[in-house]
Amino acid sequence: MTFTEDEIAFRDSIRRMVARHVAPIAAEIDETDRFPTELVRLFGEMGLMQLWVPEKYGGPEGNLTMMCIAREEVSRVSPACGSIAGLNTMFIMPLLHFGTEEQRQRFLPVVAQGGVVTAIAISEPQAGSDVSAMTTRAVRDGDSYVINGRKQWCSYGVEAEYIVLMARTEGERGADGISAFVIEPKRMKGITFGRHERKMGWRGAPNTPIFLDNVRVPAENLIGEEGKGFRASLRALDLNRPTIGAQCVGLAQGALDACVEYAKERRQFKRAIADFQGVQFMLADMAMNIEAARALVYECARAGDRSDWQRLNVLASMAKCFASDMAMKATTDAVQVFGGYGYTKDYPVERWMRDAKLAQIFEGTNQIQRVVIARDLLAA
């Protein structure tokens, strides 16, 4: 992958920061499942959390390529911490593409200051891959909407100042009738949170159910047209999926680097295991697949930077699906290279394997991504 001089300088600055601030705490965050607030402050100061806020609103005005670079580099040691880079993207995108100028002037300068946690709430207990089955409802009442329902798998929602929330404003089923709202969980009455999900991996990135009981939201917090929120969520997902692919490339690269170092040091039968062709082939396959995934991720990022929405849609599914499948295979092989030690928590490869599994599921399961790809192929 060829980067510009500015992109290389950006990458190298993040790489230095990761070595100093993220690598020393990555294992502890996985062990304790705590949300690393110190990284929120640091990433905010560096402009990483609010990377996509335009300069006119006080932000760095980054792009999708920079987002992928940031997430790849942090994810080499911790994909959970990698999610904090560009964390506010899913909140920013619906406002930029579908919100009013008044909404952008109201929310984006606050996010641009850094250190503000935001989230997006789409999924529900019975509406995961099938978003059209959403039942959380918003009813117009004068100059407000009253929202009732429940959201599931809202990453960072329990920590968020602002959440873009999808709710049904008309109909009982289907994509039409879903609207997008900005809610403020720390200031609006009727919003409560359930128990933190106890996840196998991606620990330190909280997922907590949200319960909405007669939550009154001002009408000016409606993003775009009523009933068009599903379109806003699709655009946000298309722009975020390649960054998930970048995280998978990062964690797989971290696993490969660890394997190469370990294979040179570990000795069996009076030889380093790196001398055995079986191990060499595993490392070679990991390296080839990582480079292939990286090329696909950044081709997708370039399409996003060109606003090539039609190409982005299918490339986003390809990048997320291929990279996460690759990461699962690479980290499984990494555990094998480490042998019995790979199965212990004394080494990081088992953590990366657990993290890789989630990437095949969230932001749209890989089965759904294949449906999107096939649909595009057969549409001609």
Side-chain angles (χ1 to χ4, degrees):
M1 182 63 207
T2 302
F3 294 122
T4 66
E5 288 186 7
D6 288 344
E7 289 167 346
I8 291 172
F10 177 71
R11 181 199 66 191
D12 291 347
S13 69
I14 296 174
R15 193 170 289 179
R16 290 190 296 270
M17 177 274 293
V18 169
R20 183 175 180 181
H21 295 285
V22 184
I25 64 173
E28 178 263 321
I29 288 172
D30 177 72
E31 184 69 26
T32 63
D33 199 19
R34 73 173 179 87
F35 180 54
T37 54
E38 67 271 37
L39 294 185
V40 171
R41 292 191 296 270
L42 176 61
F43 286 19
E45 291 170 0
M46 295 180 66
L48 296 180
M49 289 189 65
Q50 67 274 35
L51 192 59
W52 219 317
V53 178
E55 190 174 307
K56 66 181 289 188
Y57 302 110
E61 197 161 353
N63 57 24
L64 187 51
T65 296
M66 294 175 69
M67 276 277 299
C68 289
I69 290 172
R71 287 197 166 183
E72 178 184 346
E73 290 302 321
V74 182
S75 297
R76 287 187 182 214
V77 298
S78 172
C81 294
S83 296
I84 301 174
L87 175 62
N88 294 323
T89 300
M90 295 290 279
F91 176 81
I92 293 166
M93 283 300 119
L95 291 171
L96 286 179
H97 292 281
F98 300 98
T100 65
E101 181 58 24
E102 186 277 332
Q103 289 172 334
R104 290 189 282 269
Q105 292 285 353
R106 179 181 166 195
F107 295 112
L108 296 187
V110 177
V111 174
Q113 294 174 12
V116 175
V117 177
T118 66
I120 188 167
I122 303 174
S123 296
E124 298 180 2
Q126 302 302 321
S129 295
D130 183 10
V131 176
S132 65
M134 184 180 301
T135 59
T136 295
R137 184 166 293 275
V139 178
R140 185 68 184 255
D141 182 25
D143 59 358
S144 301
Y145 286 85
V146 178
I147 302 180
N148 285 279
R150 173 181 176 176
K151 291 295 177 180
Q152 197 80 11
W153 307 116
C154 178
S155 299
Y156 301 99
V158 70
E159 301 286 345
E161 297 288 336
Y162 305 106
I163 299 175
V164 170
L165 179 134
M166 303 292 165
R168 185 168 297 285
T169 48
E170 58 185 79
E172 299 297 327
R173 188 177 173 83
D176 292 337
I178 296 174
S179 300
F181 300 87
V182 175
I183 67 169
E184 302 176 49
K186 296 182 180 180
R187 286 176 285 278
M188 292 178 174
K189 295 180 179 180
I191 301 174
T192 56
F193 295 91
R195 187 198 71 174
H196 289 327
E197 300 292 350
R198 299 167 61 200
K199 304 193 300 292
M200 177 174 72
W202 224 275
R203 291 164 60 80
N207 291 95
T208 311
I210 306 175
F211 300 96
L212 303 110
D213 182 14
N214 291 322
V215 179
R216 188 167 291 273
V217 179
E220 60 262 29
N221 284 28
L222 171 70
I223 302 175
E225 300 177 39
E226 188 174 299
K228 302 298 183 182
F230 186 69
R231 183 173 61 176
S233 67
L234 289 179
R235 176 66 56 82
L237 289 169
D238 280 346
L239 288 163
N240 201 55
R241 279 175 181 148
T243 74
I244 304 302
Q247 288 178 266
C248 292
V249 169
L251 75 90
Q253 185 67 59
L256 174 59
D257 293 345
C259 283
V260 169
E261 182 178 353
Y262 183 79
K264 291 177 179 179
E265 296 176 353
R266 173 68 170 167
R267 300 185 66 82
Q268 290 288 277
F269 305 102
K270 299 182 180 181
R271 301 165 63 187
I273 65 171
D275 291 339
F276 294 99
Q277 193 176 65
V279 173
Q280 292 173 359
F281 282 6
M282 292 176 73
L283 298 178
D285 285 343
M286 290 168 68
M288 285 189 292
N289 288 323
I290 289 168
E291 285 301 322
R294 181 177 285 119
L296 181 55
V297 164
Y298 286 102
E299 175 63 19
C300 180
R302 300 300 191 198
D305 293 340
R306 295 191 303 268
S307 299
D308 186 351
W309 303 123
Q310 182 174 359
R311 184 160 168 75
L312 174 68
N313 176 254
V314 67
L315 282 179
S317 289
M318 288 180 175
K320 188 270 179 183
C321 183
F322 182 80
S324 57
D325 282 350
M326 176 279 297
M328 191 71 250
K329 176 65 166 61
T331 54
T332 301
D333 284 349
V335 171
Q336 191 73 19
V337 170
F338 273 73
Y341 289 116
Y343 202 66
T344 71
K345 292 192 175 184
D346 295 326
Y347 293 86
V349 288
E350 63 83 30
R351 166 164 56 87
W352 287 323
M353 185 178 73
R354 289 185 283 109
D355 289 340
K357 185 61 215 177
L358 180 59
Q360 293 182 301
I361 300 171
F362 79 147
E363 292 289 322
T365 66
N366 284 4
Q367 287 74 23
I368 288 293
Q369 305 313 318
R370 288 176 166 86
V371 169
V372 173
I373 296 164
R375 186 179 296 154
D376 181 79
L377 289 171
L378 299 171

